[in-house]
Amino acid sequence: MAATNVTRKLMEAGARILIASDSVADADMVRNLLAPEFENFFISTDPDCAAADFEIHCPDVIVLAFNDLQKSEGYYLGLFRLSEKIHVQPHRTIILCNKNDVNKVYQACKKEYFDDYILFWPMTHDAPRLLMSMHHALRDLMAIKDGGPSAAEFAAQARRLSELGNMLDQQMALGNQRIDIVNRTILEAEQEIGAVLDGFSRKLIQGEFPDVPKIENAAGLEREIKRLKLEDIGQRFRSASEAVQPVKQWTDDFKKKCAPHIESARTLSAMAELIRPTILIVDDDEVQRKVVGKFLADENYHLEFAIGGIEALNTLRKLQPDLILMDIVMGELDGIETTRRLKTMPQFASVPVIMATGKSEGISVRDSMKAGATDFVVKPFDRDTLLAKVANALQPL
């Protein structure tokens, strides 16, 4: 906890704050309100320089100090259209709204288009509220930076632990089978060698070897062969068999020691089945979103939707999907460009993207794969094909 607090204080002390407005006076007013607790301010008031201002300063928080919601929306959406870095730089947005837009701004924040709002215009009566929103935004960012793997990624690895337990059981059983085979082989070899010696002595006694003198003391030879089998050869075979037994005992003991851990892995795997992978469906066609949603609704997936590339990139500021199903042909920002941009973000570099298109030409496939997609599916969707591709893409590496 202490380390987290120190990290948070360092983050807040060095936070980069971009104040965007169409009024230099309003931007200066906001800067003066934040100045008691923050230092790194940058002001953007020229709409033609909005993307450049963002890319130069890479802010942690953008304060949209416009007195009209449409101006704030236009500025922020313009960044997603024009900036190559906005989807790479983690940031939070705070809107300063007027009383006439407050309900609309609330809905926009509820849908996570923006992160927070303050009723500010025509004049603020709660200046500390701006400071508090700034602290909340920075803490939220820090939580993301400190975050670990997604729940679905953890669940996938938990399932593999259970598979490891099953494999260990199989290998232990196979090892015991092979030890039993070795014991049987030793016993059979001892019996076969004994039979060979008995046959050899019989042939000696019966004089079947013309170059060997006839054995005069057959009983003595039989006793010596019997002793040889029992004491010399037999003892060596028994020693070999006994040498195998500690291995079998070791495997039995090892299995007992592993049993609690294997059971824990299986329990963890059972818990992992309750975690649903998150799939982000990006398509500007409402009908297609409903079709895909219907196909996937009965599966163990949590579905999120974005109506275009810009909204998808904005959604990814808060969401860590396990798979993205991306339409190629969309307005403003197409699926290939959206994929290319999100693949430059380290936290999404390994997230599989399946491209959905009404075209199956080689150029679409080539451009999709070049952008970072892992697979593609052709519209109109075949349910079984779509489900198979989704399941395959979600398999852990």
Side-chain angles (χ1 to χ4, degrees):
M1 180 63 72
T4 301
N5 288 336
V6 170
T7 303
R8 181 181 298 161
K9 289 178 180 179
L10 290 173
M11 171 70 177
E12 293 175 349
R16 299 180 300 275
I17 301 168
L18 180 65
I19 303 171
S21 179
D22 56 355
S23 168
V24 174
D26 289 342
D28 286 337
M29 177 178 62
V30 172
R31 177 174 56 184
N32 291 335
L33 290 173
L34 293 171
E37 296 189 26
F38 300 95
E39 297 178 357
N40 298 327
F41 300 103
F42 309 98
I43 292 178
S44 177
T45 56
D46 185 348
D48 294 332
C49 298
D53 288 341
F54 182 92
E55 293 181 357
I56 290 171
H57 302 300
C58 295
D60 299 298
V61 181
I62 302 175
V63 180
L64 297 167
F66 299 92
N67 60 6
D68 180 84
L69 175 59
Q70 287 187 338
K71 294 178 182 178
S72 295
E73 290 177 331
Y75 177 90
Y76 196 51
L77 289 176
L79 288 181
F80 275 96
R81 285 194 298 269
L82 301 173
S83 174
E84 291 283 332
K85 292 184 178 180
I86 189 168
H87 56 284
V88 180
Q89 170 64 24
H91 65 277
R92 289 294 176 261
T93 52
I94 300 174
I95 292 185
L96 307 184
C97 68
N98 65 56
K99 62 180 181 180
N100 296 323
D101 287 334
V102 67
N103 289 327
K104 293 180 181 178
V105 173
Y106 162 72
Q107 292 297 331
C109 290
K110 183 179 178 181
K111 293 178 181 178
E112 298 188 343
Y113 297 157
F114 305 99
D115 298 299
D116 200 0
Y117 71 94
I118 299 170
L119 180 56
F120 197 84
W121 314 106
M123 60 185 299
T124 178
H125 295 285
D126 185 8
R129 178 72 177 84
L130 178 58
L131 293 168
M132 194 69 255
S133 293
M134 188 66 63
H135 285 292
H136 284 318
L138 294 171
R139 290 168 186 172
D140 191 21
L141 276 177
M142 184 52 60
I144 292 176
K145 291 181 179 180
D146 288 344
S150 71
E153 289 174 330
F154 185 81
Q157 298 304 322
R159 295 187 189 101
R160 297 187 75 174
L161 277 178
S162 179
E163 294 172 5
L164 178 62
N166 293 334
M167 184 182 71
L168 186 60
D169 282 344
Q170 294 171 1
Q171 293 302 314
M172 286 292 185
L174 181 61
N176 283 331
Q177 291 176 6
R178 289 178 175 172
I179 290 172
D180 291 339
I181 290 173
V182 170
N183 283 328
R184 287 198 301 271
T185 301
I186 291 174
L187 178 61
E188 290 170 359
E190 181 182 7
Q191 293 172 344
E192 290 171 0
I193 290 176
V196 169
L197 288 174
D198 289 339
F200 180 71
S201 66
R202 183 172 58 254
K203 289 179 181 180
L204 282 175
I205 293 171
Q206 295 174 355
E208 295 184 12
F209 301 108
D211 297 333
V212 177
K214 184 177 181 180
I215 300 300
E216 299 294 338
N217 186 359
L221 177 61
E222 289 177 348
R223 285 194 303 271
E224 185 58 26
I225 293 294
K226 184 176 181 180
R227 185 200 64 77
L228 181 66
K229 291 193 300 181
L230 181 65
E231 296 181 5
D232 295 339
I233 297 176
Q235 182 59 42
R236 285 172 173 75
F237 275 110
R238 284 189 294 274
S239 296
S241 181
E242 290 171 359
V244 176
Q245 294 311 307
V247 178
K248 189 175 190 315
Q249 184 62 46
W250 176 83
T251 59
D252 292 341
D253 292 343
F254 183 69
K255 185 175 181 179
K256 290 179 182 178
K257 291 178 181 179
C258 288
H261 305 291
I262 293 175
E263 185 60 31
S264 295
R266 287 173 177 160
T267 300
L268 189 61
S269 178
M271 294 169 63
E273 294 303 319
L274 302 177
I275 297 176
R276 298 185 298 166
T278 295
I279 301 176
L280 175 62
I281 300 167
V282 186
D283 199 317
D284 59 356
D285 187 330
E286 183 179 1
V287 174
Q288 294 299 328
R289 292 198 302 272
K290 289 182 178 179
V291 169
V292 175
K294 183 178 180 181
F295 285 166
L296 298 176
D298 294 334
E299 305 301 314
N300 189 35
Y301 302 130
H302 172 71
L303 305 181
E304 294 284 347
F305 298 88
I307 62 174
I310 291 177
E311 183 174 321
L313 292 175
N314 194 21
T315 299
L316 291 174
R317 295 188 307 115
K318 289 288 189 69
L319 179 69
Q320 177 72 33
D322 301 289
L323 170 67
I324 299 174
L325 184 60
M326 180 82 70
D327 186 36
I328 288 183
V329 182
M330 296 185 293
E332 291 191 305
L333 199 65
D334 65 31
I336 293 176
E337 177 61 18
T338 303
T339 300
R340 186 187 68 78
R341 291 193 185 189
L342 71 88
K343 284 297 181 179
T344 63
M345 305 166 72
Q347 65 269 41
F348 301 118
S350 62
V351 175
V353 178
I354 298 177
M355 307 300 287
T357 178
K359 303 177 181 179
S360 58
E361 292 89 344
I363 188 170
S364 296
V365 176
R366 183 200 66 193
D367 290 346
S368 297
M369 297 303 177
K370 188 176 180 180
T374 55
D375 203 348
F376 78 100
V377 61
V378 179
K379 298 178 182 178
F381 298 116
D382 174 75
R383 181 179 183 277
D384 292 339
T385 300
L386 177 63
L387 293 181
K389 287 179 177 288
V390 167
N392 182 66
L394 288 169
Q395 290 296 319
L397 297 177

